[in-house]
Amino acid sequence: MNIKKIKALFFILIPLLGYSQNNPLALWYTKPASQWEETLPLGNGRLGIMPDGGIETEKLVLNDITLWSGSPQDANNYKAYTFLPQIRELLLANKNSEAEQLINQNFVCTGPGSGSGDGANVQFGCYQVLGDMTLKFDYKTKSKAINYSRNLNIQTALASTQFTIDGVIYKREYFAGFGDDVLFVKLTSSKKGKLNFTVKLDRSEHFKTVNSDNSLVMTGQLNNGIDGKGMKYKVKVKAKTADGSVLYTNNTIEVKNATEVVLYVSAGTDFKDQNFESAIDKTLDAALQKKYQDQKKKHIENYQKLFNRVALNFGKSTKNALPTNERLDAFMKDPDSDTALPVLFYQYGRYLSISSTRVGLLPPNLQGLWAHQVQTPWNGDYHLDVNVQMNHWALETANLSELNLPLKDLVKEMVPYGEKTAKAYYNADGWVAHVITNIWGFTEPGESASWGIAKAGSGWLCNNLWNHYLYTNDQAYLADIYPIIKGAAQFYNSMLVKDPETGWLVTSPSVSPENSFFLPNGQDAHVCMGPTIDNQIVRELFNNVINASAKLGLDNDLRIELEKRLKLLPPSGIISPDGRIQEWLKPYKEPDPQHRHVSHLYGLYPAPLITPESTPELAEAAKKTLEVRGDDGPSWSIAYKMLFWSRLKEGNRAYKLLKTILRPTLATNINYGAGGGVYPNLLSAGPPFQIDGNFGAAAGIGEMLIQSHAGFVELLPAMPDAWLKEGEVKGLKAEGNFTINMKWEKGKVTKYEILSPVPTKVKVKVNGELKEIISSKL
């Protein structure tokens, strides 16, 4: 295969198109957003902006990935471990409810914890909106706007608004600079001097605005949960115009009789930067010295260094001629006629990843980078029982590997806190994290036993860290994460206890994330010994630490010990009398058979413990588990089921779940059951907005195209009938640092190429045939 021709072919697949409704990689609309969930998300990994495209008044919601209330705390109960023997005795005596009561009294975090998800004003804190920038326009006429359009081009990370009033074409262009680290809003009128507007900054609390240094400045300090003196922030806005006038007065910016105006927004917090205010000023001053067109060009170039790594095409579609909200409606009626919408949704997931995190900063939280509230749902935190992990599942296959590094940094900083928690509650070695964490390193159990003592969090995070190594083969990275995964393994190793009925070593106490079961006496209980997810995570983690220690030539004694302990762990899954994989050690009845969490299939995904090839009986049991669980739920749950079905090579069932995710909604209520979907701007709805559904669905599409966890690279392992007619992809990644290009027609791969930095033997399964080839040099 000619590599130059391949690269040229895929460059054609994703051309740099303008703001046209014919752009296959654009979201577009014919009216302004009527609620925040319709606005367009822009971000550069640190700063975010969401314009609503309003005509008389436009609201632009601003974000900074580091803006949190709260502060570091020690909410450990250092006497908790003294109650551990009694809790375990109660569980051995099948007195789970009594054990749960004792845990609630003596084995959860001290104080208010996360505020039960309402933690903005307690020490746990909350990810918060930075503020609102409001533009109010005076068009000097009562005429209405016509020819309205609003657009987000994910190929360039540029958004636009355009309309006409009295023959004057008004345009606005927005981007979060990937070159200059500021936010840009450019406004133009087709006739001279027709721009008249004011600019205002505010938020619902903790703010002050002033005019200073020929600019509009908003500052404030959030609540730390102690004395109110928490994180500080600053937003600074300047207007640059060639004509008309700009007046900084009355805590606003007034622009009169201008033809072209660029608003520059520089912002930041004192998170790890005590000199943030002067840094904001310098960044803004530097941006003001440059030409807007040069800044825009640099922004696109830097963004596309990441975005353009992958191109995907499932064949032609005319449906992008519809506004995106109408296109979603049309997709519900006839999904197979719009094979381009899943491509857009996949690339949108990649776009959101690139836009919501940056190497050296924080990973995306429950809402990525974008929030419009002071009290974001569930604190906008990092949930460790699936959500933050799901935020990163698509990255490796999607050729955005380095965007996994901020999560590694967050976990590394958690370890010292987790070591204290391990001692306080379990008198154990190593470190542990439970269900929730924040930027302050919270690792304690949550405030309720029913969900808060799940201890899969630290082991699950180690899966994400290990996965990055599998895809990169980066030995320096392996050495960096080794102390983290070793410490997690040491924790589980030192707190495992023997189940007298089976002789297996299991965790105790624990829960299967957020789920409950019926005891034989009919009581509803949560607390148990050895839930299946714990058993799977411990097995996987021990294997990974064994492999890592051997590769690095470290800890021979620990490696031998873990190898012995592996033989005493429960199997990767226990098949229940009705043929499903059990969620607990015992075949308890379930109050909610269609619960949103499917934690006991962790071994199927993300772990490689259950595969159709190596464990066919468990794979069949997993199918039965999923059938009973059902296909509905919040979007993240639907996405997870989509991933399970992909791993089971059931492409049509995975596609059915993707179609379910893509059902339109405007609901914003807190939802724990059925009813997930997407908003008109394609952000996923729990509801409310949770970005994990976007990232999980992107990971699911990646798994439908390529899988490499079972010891070989399989091309098109779970393709639905709707996508088999024709298609091609460039730039996907497989474990072992392989890059995959391929093309297919009528369900058969017709061309493929496997590339790597050094030609390497690789097993590949193509059109059902397993073969060994030598990869081409990248």
Side-chain angles (χ1 to χ4, degrees):
M1 239 179 172
N2 188 308
I3 296 176
K4 289 183 178 179
K5 287 183 178 179
I6 286 283
K7 291 181 177 178
L9 169 65
F10 285 107
F11 181 76
I12 292 170
L13 279 178
I14 47 173
L16 179 57
L17 297 174
Y19 293 17
S20 165
Q21 64 192 44
N22 295 317
N23 183 357
L25 294 180
L27 289 65
W28 72 281
Y29 311 85
T30 57
K31 59 184 179 180
S34 60
Q35 63 186 64
W36 179 71
E37 291 79 9
E38 296 182 80
T39 61
L40 297 174
L42 295 156
N44 65 4
R46 185 177 76 86
L47 297 176
I49 183 169
M50 297 185 78
D52 66 12
I55 298 170
E56 286 80 17
T57 300
E58 175 159 40
K59 184 176 180 180
L60 304 101
V61 180
L62 309 178
N63 291 109
D64 183 309
I65 192 69
T66 65
L67 186 63
W68 271 74
S69 62
S71 56
Q73 64 174 316
D74 189 339
N76 288 302
N77 178 355
Y78 286 97
K79 295 182 179 179
Y81 74 93
T82 64
F83 294 90
L84 189 59
Q86 186 179 351
I87 292 167
R88 286 173 168 169
E89 287 174 10
L90 289 169
L91 291 173
L92 286 171
N94 296 315
K95 296 181 178 180
N96 301 63
S97 298
E98 291 88 340
E100 186 165 335
Q101 184 178 1
L102 188 59
I103 290 170
N104 278 325
Q105 293 169 347
N106 301 287
F107 209 80
V108 295
C109 58
T110 60
S114 70
S116 297
D118 204 20
N121 293 307
V122 299
Q123 214 170 342
F124 185 89
C126 177
Y127 179 65
Q128 299 194 1
V129 63
L130 177 60
D132 297 329
M133 184 168 72
T134 304
L135 312 183
K136 290 192 175 181
F137 297 89
D138 181 2
Y139 298 103
K140 311 295 184 183
T141 179
K142 293 184 180 181
S143 299
K144 298 296 184 181
I146 60 173
N147 299 328
Y148 182 94
S149 67
R150 188 165 58 96
N151 178 291
L152 171 61
N153 185 341
I154 65 170
Q155 172 66 22
T156 57
L158 296 168
S160 69
T161 298
Q162 181 174 317
F163 51 87
T164 301
I165 298 178
D166 277 350
V168 181
I169 301 172
Y170 293 92
K171 294 182 181 180
R172 303 175 201 156
E173 184 172 64
Y174 327 79
F175 64 93
F178 277 85
D180 302 82
D181 194 15
V182 298
L183 305 172
F184 296 83
V185 181
K186 181 184 178 183
L187 307 97
T188 60
S189 62
S190 63
K191 293 183 181 179
K192 186 174 177 63
K194 292 295 184 178
L195 288 174
N196 294 275
F197 63 93
T198 60
V199 183
K200 176 185 174 184
L201 287 173
D202 65 9
R203 68 195 306 270
S204 61
E205 63 178 32
H206 298 305
F207 80 97
K208 176 184 177 182
T209 55
V210 297
N211 292 120
S212 174
D213 187 27
N214 286 326
S215 61
L216 177 61
V217 180
M218 181 171 70
T219 56
Q221 186 170 24
L222 305 189
N223 188 357
N224 61 358
I226 306 171
D227 56 11
K229 297 179 180 178
M231 187 179 290
K232 296 178 180 178
Y233 69 88
K234 176 179 174 180
V235 184
K236 188 172 184 179
V237 184
K238 281 197 173 186
K240 188 176 180 181
T241 180
D243 62 358
S245 64
V246 179
L247 185 63
Y248 298 92
T249 183
N250 298 322
N251 299 331
T252 63
I253 302 174
E254 294 184 11
V255 177
K256 295 182 178 180
N257 304 321
T259 309
E260 179 178 298
V261 182
V262 180
L263 300 177
Y264 296 78
V265 184
S266 185
T269 75
D270 66 353
F271 178 69
K272 298 185 178 180
D273 184 5
Q274 296 305 308
N275 300 315
F276 77 104
E277 293 194 67
S278 60
I280 289 168
D281 294 340
K282 289 178 182 177
T283 300
L284 184 58
D285 291 342
L288 287 163
Q289 303 305 311
K290 300 176 185 178
K291 294 180 179 178
Y292 176 81
Q293 287 302 320
D294 292 340
Q295 292 166 316
K296 177 180 170 181
K297 180 181 178 182
K298 189 65 176 177
H299 157 78
I300 295 172
E301 288 176 353
N302 287 349
Y303 167 74
Q304 289 186 339
K305 287 176 183 176
L306 293 170
F307 185 81
N308 281 2
R309 290 176 184 173
V310 169
L312 178 61
N313 176 22
F314 290 156
K316 296 178 180 179
S317 172
T318 60
K319 298 295 184 178
N320 53 296
L322 290 173
T324 303
N325 55 311
E326 295 179 21
R327 187 177 182 184
L328 285 170
D329 293 334
F331 186 80
M332 288 298 98
K333 296 174 183 176
D334 186 11
D336 294 354
S337 69
D338 190 2
T339 55
L341 183 61
V343 173
L344 174 63
F345 197 53
Y346 176 75
Q347 291 286 30
Y348 187 59
R350 296 182 68 248
Y351 164 83
L352 293 172
S353 290
I354 298 167
S355 302
S356 62
T357 191
R358 179 191 298 182
V359 175
L361 273 178
L362 291 167
N365 57 55
L366 278 175
Q367 294 196 184
L369 168 66
W370 300 280
H372 69 118
Q373 298 162 290
V374 165
Q375 178 59 66
T376 44
W378 302 287
N379 297 322
D381 67 15
Y382 300 104
H383 269 52
L384 306 182
D385 56 0
V386 67
N387 310 94
V388 73
Q389 291 91 346
M390 183 177 287
N391 281 3
H392 296 76
W393 283 344
L395 292 175
E396 297 296 339
T397 302
N399 210 336
L400 297 172
S401 183
E402 63 267 53
L403 298 186
N404 261 316
L405 297 177
L407 180 64
K408 182 264 295 182
D409 294 339
L410 182 78
V411 176
K412 180 183 283 191
E413 292 182 5
M414 289 167 58
V415 169
Y417 299 95
E419 290 173 341
K420 291 182 179 180
T421 298
K423 287 294 183 187
Y425 291 84
Y426 308 96
N427 195 26
D429 299 331
W431 72 280
V432 64
H434 290 81
V435 184
I436 49 175
T437 194
N438 52 21
I439 66 168
W440 312 116
F442 189 92
T443 56
E444 295 88 330
E447 53 269 22
S448 172
S450 64
W451 57 272
I453 63 156
K455 55 187 55 60
S458 42
W460 200 330
L461 288 167
C462 289
N463 166 273
N464 283 67
L465 269 56
W466 182 256
N467 204 41
H468 180 73
Y469 167 69
L470 292 180
Y471 275 81
T472 62
N473 289 336
D474 186 336
Q475 297 300 306
Y477 170 84
L478 179 61
D480 189 24
I481 67 165
Y482 179 71
I484 302 173
I485 64 173
K486 171 187 172 183
Q490 287 175 315
F491 165 75
Y492 291 117
N493 185 42
S494 65
M495 66 84 59
L496 292 173
V497 297
K498 188 175 182 178
D499 171 38
E501 292 186 23
T502 62
W504 293 329
L505 295 178
V506 297
T507 57
S508 178
S510 193
V511 299
S512 189
E514 301 181 30
N515 205 359
S516 65
F517 54 90
F518 283 129
L519 292 169
N521 63 9
Q523 285 184 315
D524 190 355
H526 303 84
V527 177
C528 65
M529 296 173 58
T532 297
I533 185 174
D534 285 13
N535 305 332
Q536 293 170 338
I537 280 178
V538 172
R539 175 174 294 278
E540 178 199 32
L541 179 62
F542 281 10
N543 271 313
N544 293 343
V545 172
I546 289 167
N547 290 335
S549 67
K551 288 179 182 294
L552 296 170
L554 299 170
D555 298 320
N556 185 60
D557 290 344
L558 175 63
R559 183 165 66 251
I560 293 172
E561 181 180 358
L562 293 183
E563 287 171 344
K564 291 178 180 177
R565 302 283 271 187
L566 269 176
K567 299 174 183 177
L568 301 174
L569 296 178
S572 297
I574 303 168
I575 299 178
S576 67
D578 65 0
R580 292 183 287 157
I581 291 180
Q582 286 182 189
E583 191 161 353
W584 299 276
L585 279 179
K586 300 177 181 180
Y588 295 121
K589 291 184 178 180
E590 305 141 287
D592 182 9
Q594 296 186 332
H595 193 269
R596 61 192 176 277
H597 282 267
V598 198
S599 304
H600 45 314
L601 295 192
Y602 174 92
L604 177 62
Y605 190 98
L609 301 175
I610 299 173
T611 69
E613 294 84 5
S614 63
T615 59
E617 289 186 2
L618 287 177
E620 285 302 312
K623 289 182 183 180
K624 293 181 180 179
T625 303
L626 291 167
E627 291 288 0
V628 173
R629 218 51 160 204
D631 289 345
D632 215 330
S635 285
W636 66 263
S637 179
I638 301 169
Y640 204 176
K641 295 165 189 171
M642 177 183 168
L643 282 154
F644 291 139
W645 284 112
S646 296
R647 281 279 171 101
L648 293 168
K649 315 294 177 69
E650 297 282 356
N652 286 330
R653 189 62 174 267
Y655 181 51
K656 177 178 181 286
L657 287 154
L658 176 62
K659 290 185 287 187
T660 305
I661 290 175
L662 285 170
R663 62 190 174 193
T665 185
L666 290 172
T668 58
N669 58 292
I670 297 289
N671 171 55
Y672 290 101
V678 295
Y679 295 111
N681 60 8
L682 297 187
L683 291 178
S684 67
F689 164 49
Q690 277 185 236
I691 205 166
D692 41 20
N694 289 98
F695 294 143
I701 293 172
E703 287 286 317
M704 294 160 85
L705 291 165
I706 181 174
Q707 294 179 22
S708 57
H709 61 284
F712 55 90
V713 178
E714 184 169 4
L715 307 184
L716 307 185
M719 287 291 279
D721 295 340
W723 300 347
L724 286 176
K725 182 179 179 182
E726 62 175 324
E728 49 194 329
V729 66
K730 172 212 171 185
L732 294 183
K733 300 287 285 191
E735 288 184 15
N737 200 13
F738 295 106
T739 302
I740 313 297
N741 302 325
M742 61 175 159
K743 186 173 182 177
W744 64 92
E745 293 178 9
K746 298 179 181 178
K748 297 290 185 181
V749 176
T750 56
K751 295 180 181 179
Y752 72 94
E753 187 172 34
I754 299 182
L755 308 169
S756 59
V758 176
T760 307
K761 284 185 179 180
V762 56
K763 291 181 180 179
V764 57
K765 192 172 185 180
V766 187
N767 298 330
E769 180 185 356
L770 186 64
K771 60 180 77 173
E772 187 172 80
I773 66 170
I774 304 294
S775 62
S776 302
K777 191 175 188 324
L778 188 64

